[in-house]
Amino acid sequence: MTDSKNPQTLALHAGYRTDDATNAVAVPIYQTTSYQFDSADHASALFGLQELGNIYSRIMNPTNAVLEDRMTAIEGGAAALTVGSGQAASAMAIQNLASAGDNIVSSTDLYGGTWNLFANTLKAQGIEVRFVDPADPEAFRAATDDKTRAYYAETLPNPKLQVFPIAEVAAIGREMGVPLIMDNTAAPLLCRPFDHGAAIIVYSLTKYIGGHGTSIGGMIIDGGNFDWEANPERQPNLNTPDPNYHGAVWVDAVREMGPVAYIMRARTVLLRDLGAPLAPMNAFQIIQGLETLALRMREHCANADKVAAWLNDHPKVTSVTHPSLQDGEARRRANDYMPGGHGALLGFELAGGVEAGRAFIDKLEMLYHVANIGDARSLAIHPASTTHSQLTPEEQEATGVTPGYVRLSIGIEHVDDIIADLEQALG
Ligand code: PLP
């Protein structure tokens, strides 16, 4: 264990020293479904939340617990929950607060999968998502009513790649009793959302945190920094008896454990009932990635800054989207909220529009053409015909996807090789 606050150190040491049973230094893969109870009393204490401990791997697992504790330490939160994917994390982060008849207010600038979840699946469950343009933080206040349970946004939303006004919207939320949930998938270590007032962080672990492109995973981190009781009618799921857990009032039921009412409900109600746990093998793989995250983010960002500058000078490229090239308010937000670097996602528009975009993608030799971001390898995609193709043209426009837009996720290869492949493909 370590007292360090440095993410490089925490990524290697937080949450685990050696295995109690074997002294193993690498985090073991606890490939087990269930855990023997010490006695009948022990079993009922665990189920009654009088004692914390392992019951069943749909709800908790010791390998996953190391990943949860490590990420909690890195983000400066109170506790975390691993789930099967980033999508499960986004869905459960909201379902933990909002029920049918409630609403949340979300930034329009979202990953296409999250947009679908919000516009269709949550809607079908009776949870209304009110989309607002994050250019004006006050739009969040204007869209809030008595039934608003949360605000939601991405730190570095792709494809617009304009950093979200975290502190401004978090402050509005805190005035109104509404927690801000930040998807920090594109900016781990570069941005620390809790430092700016966010209450909850969600991650797709599939991306930079794993980095190797082997394992899908997600996480919800509770900042432990939001007063759920200050405005009890705003957060009924945590302040009124929960029939889902024999009438527990979550803020009271787990008071002794610290400020973890939100994440305990997510684990013991939602993960128990909906059942989308992270497999321990995947947790192990993601821990391997996390150990080198700081090194990789440094390389990702350095390469992306260079590629953005190179593309910006290319005659066939009409515009490049990357925080390093922004000015005004967008640059101010990037500087304030992502002091660790500009990120490694970038977009560009080709003079030839859709056809030129598609031809470029087909000519790439080293960059992979995949529906993913945050891999150690460089990746490319044409969002309008892939990730965002299930959105209407109006929705595509609202999320920043124009027909000729190409998105790159810059990897950690030598930057000369990345540029050489882009150059031949731009031909
Ligand atoms: N959030 C963001 C910003 C993403 O880019 C993605 C996936 O691309 C997700 C969430 C969903 O994550 P997963 O694919 O792990 O479900």
Side-chain angles (χ1 to χ4, degrees), residues 47-128:
F47 276 90
L49 297 177
Q50 282 100 32
E51 210 180 304
L52 278 182
N54 297 315
I55 299 175
Y56 188 57
S57 280
R58 173 157 28 85
I59 311 170
M60 70 282 282
N61 174 279
T63 310
N64 299 21
V66 174
L67 180 54
E68 288 159 357
D69 290 351
R70 223 162 249 194
M71 287 297 295
T72 299
I74 288 171
E75 292 293 355
L81 176 66
T82 46
V83 290
S85 69
Q87 281 299 105
S90 301
M92 286 192 201
I94 292 162
Q95 289 166 325
N96 201 33
L97 298 175
S99 310
D102 296 338
N103 67 73
I104 67 156
V105 183
S106 170
S107 167
T108 46
D109 298 354
L110 294 174
Y111 160 61
T114 305
W115 182 284
N116 280 328
L117 166 70
F118 286 4
N120 301 305
T121 300
L122 288 185
K123 186 176 171 192
Q125 293 176 358
I127 299 171
E128 181 197 354

Side-chain angles (χ1 to χ4, degrees), residues 221-240:
I221 311 176
D222 186 340
N225 60 2
F226 194 84
D227 187 353
W228 304 102
E229 291 173 89
N231 211 333
E233 61 290 346
R234 175 70 81 192
Q235 301 299 343
N237 282 8
L238 300 180
N239 285 288
T240 52

Side-chain angles (χ1 to χ4, degrees), residues 84-88 90 111 114 152 154 156 158 183 185-186 203-207 216-218 371-373:
S85 69
Q87 281 299 105
S90 301
Y111 160 61
T114 305
Y152 188 97
E154 295 178 9
L156 180 65
N158 104 62
D183 179 341
T185 297
Y203 272 112
S204 166
L205 303 172
T206 316
K207 319 295 181 189
I216 301 277
N372 194 20
I373 57 167

Side-chain angles (χ1 to χ4, degrees), residues 159 348-359 361 381-386 388 393-394 396-397 400-407:
F348 67 95
E349 193 89 36
L350 285 166
V354 186
E355 284 320 309
R358 293 170 72 108
I361 293 270
I381 202 154
H382 177 237
S385 61
T386 56
H388 288 63
E394 297 74 39
Q396 285 193 3
E397 201 185 315
V401 173
T402 51
Y405 186 88
V406 175
R407 187 197 69 212

Side-chain angles (χ1 to χ4, degrees), residues 359-390:
F360 164 81
I361 293 270
D362 280 339
K363 277 167 94 180
L364 287 170
E365 287 170 3
M366 185 182 81
L367 272 75
Y368 282 90
H369 178 203
V370 295
N372 194 20
I373 57 167
D375 196 294
R377 304 158 191 82
S378 291
L379 316 172
I381 202 154
H382 177 237
S385 61
T386 56
T387 52
H388 288 63
S389 61
Q390 276 125 53

